[in-house]
Amino acid sequence: MKPGLFQQLHVFLAVARLQSFRGAARELGVSTAAVSQSVRQLEEQLGVVLLNRTSRSVALTDAGRRLVEEAGPGLAQVADALRRTSAQPGEVTGKLRLSVPRVAVPLVIAPLMPVFRARHPRVEVDIDVDQRLVDIVAEGYDAGVRLSETLERDMVQLRLTEPFRFVVVGAPSYLKAHKAPEQPEDLLQHECIGLQSQTTGTLYAWELERGRKTWRVPVRGGVTTNDDGAGAAIAAEGGGLAYVQEPAVREYLDSGRLVRVLEDYAPTVPGFFLYYPSRAQRSGPLRVFIEAARELAGRTG
């Protein structure tokens, strides 16, 4: 399509719909002379007469009627797509892709998303919930949420939560039937719900610490899962001990369905962070998401 032809067609369709050069000029916010010139130029480029006009009326020719019937719907779709795609001054549009672990959804994403969407309704957010360690650059994500110790050094990091603990928990019914462990080594005598890495497939050794001393206990049991939420749910039913992020089981703890054991050995981690490649590569959607995330971090800090 030649430069200007789209605009000329747009003007012609307005004249055809309103059956008036003057009415089309008012609707388009231009002069009647400009409308007349645009239609004349379109007719010259196409080599046909599209409108019969007199001082009193405007009527479509057969060629003009065919153009309205065949091009009108398509042009309306194009104009609507352009309107939906274009941003108003100060408005941000586009898509934001995030990689987020399941436990971070209620802690970070759920509280943030309603506020963010209310401010930026033209930004579409695609949240991929995945427990494995993700290369966000290679897999096409704008940003991710993870614990800080799993992040590469070249990533920009923004704190989203306060530090929290990993704790060993069990149901009162399980602990009534089995003596509660008093030292990390005692876990080897218990039914422990294993947590499997989605990245490597290996079982995590439960990490505990006290003062400067640390333990990595290779626990075993009859149940293994790659989702710590599933482990907590099974533990709450008396299925064994689970090793979980404390904020993720807050409701279980508050209700008494789970209780902590080996609490003096619970390690503390720095918390969840938003991470992304570099400030220089920020898209508009990522930039405004970072702004909203900073506000959330300020409220929870």
Side-chain angles (χ1 to χ4, degrees), residues 35 39 51 66 109 130 212 215 245-246 260 268 277:
V35 170
V39 172
L51 294 167
R66 286 197 305 272
I109 299 300
D130 201 333
R212 295 185 178 181
W215 291 261
Q245 298 169 30
E246 193 170 27
R260 304 173 188 85
T268 299

Side-chain angles (χ1 to χ4, degrees), residues 19 21 49-54 57-62 64-65:
Q19 295 186 338
F21 280 78
V49 176
L50 299 172
L51 294 167
N52 289 323
R53 54 266 210 194
T54 68
S57 63
V58 175
L60 288 167
T61 65
D62 287 341
R65 188 174 297 105

Side-chain angles (χ1 to χ4, degrees), residues 130-184:
D130 201 333
Q131 299 299 103
R132 67 190 175 89
L133 297 180
V134 174
D135 184 337
I136 59 173
V137 175
E139 298 191 33
Y141 294 97
D142 295 288
V145 176
R146 289 295 184 274
L147 296 174
S148 63
E149 60 262 32
T150 65
L151 303 182
E152 299 293 337
R153 293 181 178 273
D154 60 350
M155 290 290 167
V156 181
Q157 301 180 26
L158 170 63
R159 174 181 292 281
L160 296 176
T161 71
E162 289 299 301
F164 56 79
R165 301 188 303 177
F166 274 80
V167 293
V168 180
V169 295
S173 60
Y174 175 86
L175 296 171
K176 184 177 180 180
H178 305 81
K179 182 183 178 182
E182 298 178 354
Q183 298 181 28

Side-chain angles (χ1 to χ4, degrees), residues 4-76:
L5 189 57
F6 180 92
Q7 181 61 29
Q8 292 165 4
L9 183 57
H10 180 62
V11 172
F12 161 72
L13 290 173
V15 174
R17 175 167 47 83
L18 298 170
Q19 295 186 338
S20 168
F21 280 78
R22 184 173 299 175
R26 283 197 301 267
E27 181 177 283
L28 299 173
V30 297
S31 67
T32 303
V35 170
S36 180
Q37 181 182 12
S38 183
V39 172
R40 185 169 59 253
Q41 289 173 341
L42 177 62
E43 290 176 325
E44 290 174 355
Q45 290 193 63
L46 298 179
V48 295
V49 176
L50 299 172
L51 294 167
N52 289 323
R53 54 266 210 194
T54 68
S55 59
R56 296 181 302 279
S57 63
V58 175
L60 288 167
T61 65
D62 287 341
R65 188 174 297 105
R66 286 197 305 272
L67 185 59
V68 169
E69 292 173 351
E70 296 177 10
L75 190 68

Side-chain angles (χ1 to χ4, degrees), residues 2 13 28 31 38 46 69 91 96 101 107 110 112 123 148 163 170 177 184 194 209-210 225 237 279 293 301:
K2 296 180 180 180
L13 290 173
L28 299 173
S31 67
S38 183
L46 298 179
E69 292 173 351
E91 186 179 37
L96 180 71
L107 295 178
L112 176 58
V123 176
S148 63
E209 64 183 35
R210 189 172 188 178
T225 177
E237 297 298 329
R279 292 179 175 85

Side-chain angles (χ1 to χ4, degrees), residues 56-300:
R56 296 181 302 279
S57 63
V58 175
L60 288 167
T61 65
D62 287 341
R65 188 174 297 105
R66 286 197 305 272
L67 185 59
V68 169
E69 292 173 351
E70 296 177 10
L75 190 68
Q77 290 181 348
V78 171
D80 184 58
L82 291 173
R83 184 175 62 255
R84 287 185 282 107
T85 303
S86 62
Q88 300 298 319
E91 186 179 37
V92 179
T93 65
K95 176 173 280 191
L96 180 71
R97 294 193 68 217
L98 301 174
S99 173
V100 182
R102 185 199 61 78
V103 69
V105 173
L107 295 178
V108 176
I109 299 300
L112 176 58
M113 204 50 55
V115 175
F116 178 74
R117 287 284 299 145
R119 292 181 184 175
H120 305 287
R122 303 279 301 277
V123 176
E124 298 178 12
V125 184
D126 182 357
I127 303 169
D128 187 356
V129 180
D130 201 333
Q131 299 299 103
R132 67 190 175 89
L133 297 180
V134 174
D135 184 337
I136 59 173
V137 175
E139 298 191 33
Y141 294 97
D142 295 288
V145 176
R146 289 295 184 274
L147 296 174
S148 63
E149 60 262 32
T150 65
L151 303 182
E152 299 293 337
R153 293 181 178 273
D154 60 350
M155 290 290 167
V156 181
Q157 301 180 26
L158 170 63
R159 174 181 292 281
L160 296 176
T161 71
E162 289 299 301
F164 56 79
R165 301 188 303 177
F166 274 80
V167 293
V168 180
V169 295
S173 60
Y174 175 86
L175 296 171
K176 184 177 180 180
H178 305 81
K179 182 183 178 182
E182 298 178 354
Q183 298 181 28
E185 295 86 351
D186 295 342
L187 291 171
L188 298 174
Q189 309 304 317
H190 280 267
E191 176 74 11
C192 295
I193 301 164
L195 188 60
Q196 188 178 39
S197 168
Q198 287 192 2
T199 304
T200 65
T202 59
L203 285 177
Y204 286 111
W206 290 8
E207 298 182 21
L208 302 169
E209 64 183 35
R210 189 172 188 178
R212 295 185 178 181
K213 189 172 182 180
T214 62
W215 291 261
R216 289 178 56 84
V217 185
V219 299
R220 288 293 181 269
V223 176
T224 300
T225 177
N226 62 5
D227 182 85
D228 49 5
I234 294 168
E237 297 298 329
L241 300 179
Y243 183 74
V244 295
Q245 298 169 30
E246 193 170 27
V249 293
R250 183 68 62 191
E251 291 185 9
Y252 284 121
L253 295 171
D254 291 344
S255 68
R257 295 186 64 195
L258 287 175
V259 296
R260 304 173 188 85
V261 298
L262 295 174
E263 194 166 0
D264 290 342
Y265 296 88
T268 299
V269 296
F272 281 113
F273 288 73
L274 179 72
Y275 68 103
Y276 46 93
S278 74
R279 292 179 175 85
Q281 297 178 27
R282 287 187 204 168
S283 65
L286 177 57
R287 175 178 53 78
V288 293
F289 186 78
I290 291 169
E291 293 172 358
R294 288 187 189 279
E295 292 184 22
L296 174 69
R299 292 198 305 269
T300 59

